[in-house]
Amino acid sequence: MGKTMAEKIFERKVGRPVRPGDIVVAPVDWAMGQDGTTPLAIQSFEEMNGKSVFRPERIVFVIDHNAPSPLESVSRLHDLMRSFAKRFGIRLFEVGEGVCHELMMSRGLVVPGDLVVGADSHTCTYGALGAFATGIGSTELAVVMMTGKLWFKVPETLCIRLLGELQRGVFAKDVILHIAALLGADGATYQAIEFHGPVVERFSVEERATLTNMAVEVGAKAGLVPPDEKTISWVRERTDRPFEVVLPDPDATYARVLEMDCTNLEPQVAFPHRVDTARSIREAEGIPIQEAFIGTCTNGRIPDLEVAARILRGRKVHPEVRLIVAPASRETFLFALEKGWVEDIVKAGGVFVPPGCGPCVGTHQGIPGDGWNVISTANRNFRGRMGNREASIYLASPATVAASALEGKITDPRKYLG
Amino acid sequence: MRLTGRIHKFGDDINTDYIISGKYKFKTLDMQELARHVMEDIDPEFARRVQPGDFIAAGRNFGCGSSREQAPRALLAAGVRGILAKSFARIFFRNAINCGLVVVECNTDEFDTGDEVTVDLGEGKVVNHTKGIELSVPPLPQVMIAILQEGGLVQYFKKYGSFEQV
Ligand code: SF4
């Protein structure tokens, strides 16, 4: 009987056959923590009388969620991370380097076949490279720092085949918002998702990351894309670390196979205050907006800024809209500068905040006002997510967000993408 | 482990942003401070109403969203002893056990705010005294029982030093 990617990755890590439902204790290749979760991990590490860190070179801290610090209490927590990292020789990405998940991929850390844990739920993003990556809690991160291992329940796998061809103006974000609406917020709880099919094969690694990023929004433990030539050359440009690609067996046993023809899919918009509420853009057009946000670990990458710049170039953001842009990393920012996209966006009236999470999680840099509608490229729109429970958040692709920023209301991007 | 308390009822998909908002949790490690804001975005009065030893009964997918361990910790600090839900999001479920917060999967349809319940983990059952309902609950994996018995992952780890003991 064939095995899925998740099963094969766990088998390789523990050196024996595994089946879904098995509990295994497996060594991890990377462990990541960000500034919202690492301070608590450090506290747990101290409480457990931790004396040393197992393979500090495979632990990564990132200061991205609340950076630069808006408060002295936050600065203290950042300093706690800095001094711990220094004491044990752990790599720390500083303020302004980018969103943790983007750095784990684009800096050539994660490679196909890796088993990765991160104290952040969107750790599942790295499945775009064919790694098994999943979110954990802070105390678990502390245990992993001490021992290099964690216990896992081997998940069943849901196979999603994306067939057909996307129309102009329809993007990976629209596909995953549609999938979330089909499956529901708990549609894949305890499962891994494998993304297959011609639509995924045509996607760049960045677009695949938009899909895998949101696997957790349907409850999945991980989202994986089988590595191909594109994956391998993307990784090879970034690291010399040897790796062995793990592919699913052709006769793998899936808990469920879902086929979806994407040919007639239209741009999607998820409505407040749930991620699994996406409807066609037609049903959202005309809703007035006061804030537009482009960025995050879902959609702050090069293709996202490119399409936003293309739409905004030579035009003006609506006078009643605050357009905020947070590049996913410093490299993305520099690339966008070089290409002239930053100039396009700023001249149109957009505001750049430093590479990082920006206003995604309500800590700083763009907290909406009472009664505001926000259209955002993020992955979550829960009430209060951006820091004000009196605001409403709509989720969409960068193209839809850029077009909506121009018109001051939710707008179909296709008219700007001639 | 046998616990009795009163129910506060919530619906489906209670996410960790609702349990403790990002705007608070990034600022401090002081769980008493965070406890004052639990559930604020969906039930601003909850933190004032909750009594030590109370339970939350919820629908499907409790604890979805962010991986923040501050969510179960702030609930515990607010006095909540355990959560009964029709299903849980997996990271929250692990975090809760790792903090010593009792989590039980069971059908909560008939449960209402104010009901008195007893959770007996040893016997694997939940009794709603107010409604006269008795439910059996699925057993946890061995490793989770061991962690819960020690009162959380920190205490468990101090005692055993690895997961391989289980
Ligand atoms: S960008 Fe948003 S979703 Fe992504 S890691 Fe940062 S806060 Fe979390």
Side-chain angles (χ1 to χ4, degrees), chain B residues 11-66:
Chain B
D12 292 337
D13 303 301
I14 301 298
N15 60 65
T16 53
D17 274 85
Y18 289 165
I19 299 171
I20 184 67
S21 166
K23 71 180 170 208
Y24 300 120
K25 75 112 181 179
F26 282 94
K27 282 188 208 162
T28 179
L29 291 179
D30 180 354
M31 294 303 147
Q32 293 306 329
E33 167 65 23
L34 294 184
R36 301 201 344 238
H37 301 289
V38 283
M39 299 290 189
E40 192 175 272
D41 284 339
I42 42 163
D43 184 356
E45 294 302 313
F46 178 79
R48 272 185 289 280
R49 273 201 324 271
V50 67
Q51 298 292 321
D54 283 356
F55 283 84
I56 284 174
R60 282 161 40 170
N61 204 24
F62 188 89
C64 58
S66 141

Side-chain angles (χ1 to χ4, degrees), chain B residues 82-100:
Chain B
I83 317 286
L84 315 174
K86 287 161 90 172
S87 65
F88 289 89
R90 54 163 288 280
I91 306 177
F92 179 87
F93 194 77
R94 286 179 74 124
N95 279 341
I97 299 224
N98 288 337
C99 302

Side-chain angles (χ1 to χ4, degrees), chain A residues 307-337:
Chain A
V307 73
R310 187 147 41 102
I311 291 171
L312 294 165
R313 187 172 303 140
R315 301 191 168 99
K316 284 275 178 249
V317 168
H318 189 278
E320 278 161 38
V321 174
R322 274 57 57 175
L323 169 64
I324 296 168
V325 183
S329 71
R330 181 174 287 160
E331 289 65 37
T332 306
F333 196 13
L334 285 168
F335 191 86
L337 264 168

Side-chain angles (χ1 to χ4, degrees), chain A residues 36 44 65-66 73 120 134 137-140 149 151 185-186 190 274 363 380 382-383 385 387 389, chain B residues 13 15 17-18 23 26-27 29 41 60-61 65-67 69-70 73 88 90 94-95 98 158 164:
Chain A
S44 291
H65 277 61
N66 215 352
S73 61
D120 188 283
T134 194
S138 293
T139 303
E140 293 185 314
K149 292 181 190 168
W151 73 270
D186 61 351
Y190 304 123
R274 297 178 59 103
T363 51
R380 288 192 179 133
F382 306 145
R383 184 191 284 278
R385 170 74 181 182
R389 72 186 298 275
Chain B
D13 303 301
N15 60 65
D17 274 85
Y18 289 165
K23 71 180 170 208
F26 282 94
K27 282 188 208 162
L29 291 179
D41 284 339
R60 282 161 40 170
N61 204 24
S66 141
S67 67
E69 191 174 308
Q70 288 90 340
R73 286 199 193 214
F88 289 89
R90 54 163 288 280
R94 286 179 74 124
N95 279 341
N98 288 337
K158 273 162 94 171
E164 272 98 344

Side-chain angles (χ1 to χ4, degrees), chain A residues 65 99 101 120 122 296-297 357 360-361 379 385:
Chain A
H65 277 61
V99 183
H101 305 307
D120 188 283
H122 294 105
T296 79
C297 54
C357 299
C360 178
V361 67
N379 42 39
R385 170 74 181 182

